Amino acid sequence: MFNSWDLKNDNNSVYEVKQPGEGVTHRYVVRDLGAALGETARLAPQRGDPDIFAREPFITGVKDGFVQFNYHGWHPELLKHISPDDVVWASELLGQLTDRQWNDAFRAGGYEPALADRFIGRLQQKIAEGRHMHDH
């Protein structure tokens, strides 16, 4: 959904949170979204540009039972074995986020409401595309 071209360990973390009576839960945290809201490329991608983010394709097809993404960044092997069912599952989860949650997330990232709305609108389009992955 996001165009994270620089997938590297220091940009992503997993925290174990101990909940009294519930045990340990995991929190997955992405610490650098700047490049995820632009184009996907290895060298000097355009960052934080809603026009570029809006025109970047998400899914380009399915080949041998696996989804093909418009991804041109580091570690493309991480995206090689994602099935249509995986995309539908992730899209359904993301589709549960409310407008308020999306707006809160972008506000916390320092985005002005009008700019956030453009990114959120495109993300919601990608979520809808992912939910209909079996139609491809």
Side-chain angles (χ1 to χ4, degrees), residues 67-82:
V67 179
Q68 304 292 298
F69 296 97
N70 179 57
Y71 180 75
H72 309 290
W74 300 103
H75 301 294
E77 69 277 4
L78 297 174
L79 303 176
K80 278 186 156 180
H81 295 101
I82 297 175

Side-chain angles (χ1 to χ4, degrees), residues 13 24 28 58 114-115:
S13 299
V24 174
Y28 300 89
F58 172 39
L115 183 58

Side-chain angles (χ1 to χ4, degrees), residues 1-5 35-42 44-60 68-73 118-119 121-123 125-127 129:
M1 305 281 171
F2 291 93
N3 296 340
S4 295
W5 60 272
L37 296 170
E39 68 181 335
T40 172
R42 282 192 183 190
Q46 296 292 317
R47 303 165 62 111
D49 186 318
D51 293 326
I52 291 173
F53 187 69
R55 72 174 174 252
E56 283 279 301
F58 172 39
I59 297 167
T60 60
Q68 304 292 298
F69 296 97
N70 179 57
Y71 180 75
H72 309 290
R118 294 181 67 193
F119 285 119
R122 179 62 178 127
L123 286 164
Q125 289 173 344
K126 289 181 175 186
I127 290 167
E129 184 180 350

Side-chain angles (χ1 to χ4, degrees), residues 15-27:
Y15 296 96
E16 290 186 353
V17 179
K18 294 181 181 178
Q19 303 288 339
E22 297 179 29
V24 174
T25 61
H26 293 90
R27 303 282 189 238

Side-chain angles (χ1 to χ4, degrees), residues 48-122:
D49 186 318
D51 293 326
I52 291 173
F53 187 69
R55 72 174 174 252
E56 283 279 301
F58 172 39
I59 297 167
T60 60
V62 177
K63 183 178 178 184
D64 299 326
F66 297 107
V67 179
Q68 304 292 298
F69 296 97
N70 179 57
Y71 180 75
H72 309 290
W74 300 103
H75 301 294
E77 69 277 4
L78 297 174
L79 303 176
K80 278 186 156 180
H81 295 101
I82 297 175
S83 73
D85 287 341
D86 296 332
V87 173
V88 170
W89 174 81
S91 299
E92 290 294 335
L93 283 177
L94 285 170
Q96 293 176 28
L97 292 172
T98 65
D99 289 341
R100 181 176 179 174
Q101 289 171 312
W102 281 113
N103 287 312
D104 286 348
F106 276 83
R107 186 176 59 254
Y111 290 85
E112 294 294 325
L115 183 58
D117 287 346
R118 294 181 67 193
F119 285 119
I120 293 166
R122 179 62 178 127

